[in-house]
Amino acid sequence: MGSANGQGRHPLFSFGVISDVQYADIPDGHSFLGVPRYYRHSIIVLQRAVKSWNNHKNLSFAINFGDIVEGKCPKDQSLNVIKKVIGEFENFNGPVYHMIGNHCLYNLPRDKLLPLLKIPNCGGGHAYYDFSPTPEYRLVVLDGYDISAIGWPDDHPNALEAWKLLREKNPNSEKNSPEGLEGLDRRFLMFNGAVGKEQMKWLDCVLQDATNLKQKVIICCHLPLDPGASSKEALLWNYDQVMDMIHRYNCVKVCLAGHDHEGGYSIDSHGIHHRVFEAALECPPGTDAFGYIDVYDNMLSLVGNDRMKSTTIGFHP
């Protein structure tokens, strides 16, 4: 960073970011709303991201915000395609942290997917974890598909709980359709999910520990946590409960997410910043969407490439 945003100081650490690669070796297509999707080009965006991150030379790690493979990928190719995309991430000269998205789970069940992504502490199929790159900061990765109708065996309690919620909240026979749903209820779609009770208890303990250690916290989740930064249809089912818990503490400064491909930014009622990243999948050939974040004591500076908008996020240390 130059002195304009970094105030002449070196960042405490920096890390690469990309979201929603959704690669598949299939012809280009469109979203349900008609937005073009460039399935074969997205892996080229990832390759350019990794090259850019390596050229930077001072990135401590990179984070993939989920959906590395497209749901329309032929299922006999799923395993090899996921391995191919993971191989591209492994060309980065540092650790890469992954989180799962709905498209990942369309292709492989959790028990196959999590070891491939090297998700830490994934006993019992859990995909939430935290790590501290410096004493001043902790990153918390949430599992937004903890309660989900996809990825778990059909008779798993988390799948049964998800189906019960979907039946209560969404009367449509097509559970990915928001037709007739009003306002924020439009989030109750099968391609979203929720944070379960055990994960909520874990999050409470992590935030208490971070508070005791005087750490600032960055929350990462595939699914957005604030309606101001996202379409209603892309939100975590229980984003309100998760944010109620987060708002009980002062340690969380920023929530980062993917899933809503347009991207977004907001500051919520408690002053927490929410940044949803623009999708690599929707980059026409020759364009990009990736970046890196410089982390300072009182701000984050997202330096975006092309379609990923640069964003300066300031807060009280």
Side-chain angles (χ1 to χ4, degrees), residues 285-299:
T287 65
D288 287 316
F290 61 83
Y292 66 90
I293 294 178
D294 287 329
V295 179
Y296 300 87
D297 185 52
N298 64 342
M299 63 175 280

Side-chain angles (χ1 to χ4, degrees), residues 253-267:
K253 304 302 179 185
V254 183
C255 297
L256 304 175
H259 193 52
D260 191 10
H261 293 183
E262 278 188 31
Y265 173 68
S266 66
I267 305 174

